[in-house]
Amino acid sequence: DGAPPVPGWGVLVGPDATVIAADGGARHARHEGVTVTDLVGDLDSLTAAEVDRLTAGGARLHRFDADKDFTDFELAAQLAARRRPCGAGGIGELLVVGGAGGRLDHALGNIAVLGSADLAGHQVTALLGDAIAQVASPRRPISLDSRVGQIVSLVPIGGTARGVVTRGMRFGLHREDLDALATRGISNVVADPAASVSLDEGTLIVIEPGAVTRFIADKPGAVP
């Protein structure tokens, strides 16, 4: 849920995709003509009529009490982890849409969930407002496939990211460490369309501000 996502993201979702809506995220899916297969949360952001319409359309309902230990998005992420469709190397592909704007605490929590252990078996791409965020870990290096001049920020979460290597960027990192809560990795710049990020230990959120419209135009049908 949160602020409305950039229009047009529905073209990224294939007809056989599992679509898990975190509460009011179901409304964003409907606006894009995306069919929800699972509805998760305490459902305080949807009307009873909307919930009935979704379940009548075949969505499986996973309702939780409002007094719970996880946000609706984290509950959706846990369900995605259990439903993981594996590709090459046992890695599933997960596209997260929405979650930006609204409450700052929710936005920060959503970013933390992207790099959580629950999603360690996924290649995670998130469309947060107008930014693309991807998760890089030792098991999941990132190939950016971006345009020259695109700003890219590397944000460690959960601790220091060690042995970070960047290729095709203006400011190179050569097996160096990025400390959590430090800003050294902010505002790097793509110098080669085949830029990449890898690391030996830890987790990085790799953020491309203002890149969602380009991503949608370049990658229709990217999520199976």
Side-chain angles (χ1 to χ4, degrees), residues 42 44 64-70:
D42 57 21
D44 63 345
F64 291 82
D65 190 85
D67 295 328
K68 58 190 188 303
D69 293 332
F70 304 99

Side-chain angles (χ1 to χ4, degrees), residues 52-136:
D52 289 343
R53 188 183 309 119
L54 286 159
T55 55
R60 294 176 288 262
L61 182 61
H62 310 265
R63 188 191 293 268
F64 291 82
D65 190 85
D67 295 328
K68 58 190 188 303
D69 293 332
F70 304 99
T71 65
D72 291 334
F73 172 56
E74 186 159 9
L75 291 169
Q78 291 169 356
L79 179 59
R82 295 194 296 272
R83 295 271 179 86
R84 176 165 60 98
C86 293
I91 297 291
E93 186 176 1
L94 178 65
L95 175 69
V96 177
V97 180
R103 284 173 48 177
L104 177 60
D105 52 349
H106 273 290
L108 291 173
N110 291 343
I111 290 171
V113 171
L114 297 180
S116 67
D118 285 332
L119 298 182
H122 286 81
Q123 191 74 44
V124 179
T125 302
L127 312 186
L128 305 176
D130 68 352
I132 299 170
Q134 298 184 75
V135 179

Side-chain angles (χ1 to χ4, degrees), residues 7-198:
W9 62 266
V11 301
L12 299 170
V13 183
D16 297 323
T18 296
V19 179
I20 302 172
D23 206 330
R27 197 174 290 126
H28 299 315
R30 179 171 59 84
H31 289 164
E32 286 288 324
V34 171
T35 300
V36 172
T37 59
D38 294 86
L39 177 61
V40 179
D42 57 21
L43 309 185
D44 63 345
S45 299
L46 295 172
T47 66
E50 287 175 312
V51 173
D52 289 343
R53 188 183 309 119
L54 286 159
T55 55
R60 294 176 288 262
L61 182 61
H62 310 265
R63 188 191 293 268
F64 291 82
D65 190 85
D67 295 328
K68 58 190 188 303
D69 293 332
F70 304 99
T71 65
D72 291 334
F73 172 56
E74 186 159 9
L75 291 169
Q78 291 169 356
L79 179 59
R82 295 194 296 272
R83 295 271 179 86
R84 176 165 60 98
C86 293
I91 297 291
E93 186 176 1
L94 178 65
L95 175 69
V96 177
V97 180
R103 284 173 48 177
L104 177 60
D105 52 349
H106 273 290
L108 291 173
N110 291 343
I111 290 171
V113 171
L114 297 180
S116 67
D118 285 332
L119 298 182
H122 286 81
Q123 191 74 44
V124 179
T125 302
L127 312 186
L128 305 176
D130 68 352
I132 299 170
Q134 298 184 75
V135 179
S137 69
R139 191 182 176 193
R140 297 169 293 172
I142 296 295
S143 297
L144 289 172
D145 192 25
S146 294
R147 297 176 182 174
V148 172
Q150 171 67 49
I151 293 173
V152 177
S153 292
L154 311 180
V155 181
I157 61 170
T160 299
R162 303 190 184 279
V164 179
V165 176
T166 61
R167 292 184 173 86
M169 293 193 192
R170 181 180 176 189
F171 306 107
L173 295 172
H174 309 283
R175 305 192 72 82
E176 298 175 55
D177 297 345
L178 294 178
D179 292 330
L181 305 182
T183 60
R184 184 183 177 197
I186 301 296
S187 293
N188 210 326
V189 181
V190 171
D192 185 305
S196 64
V197 180
S198 62

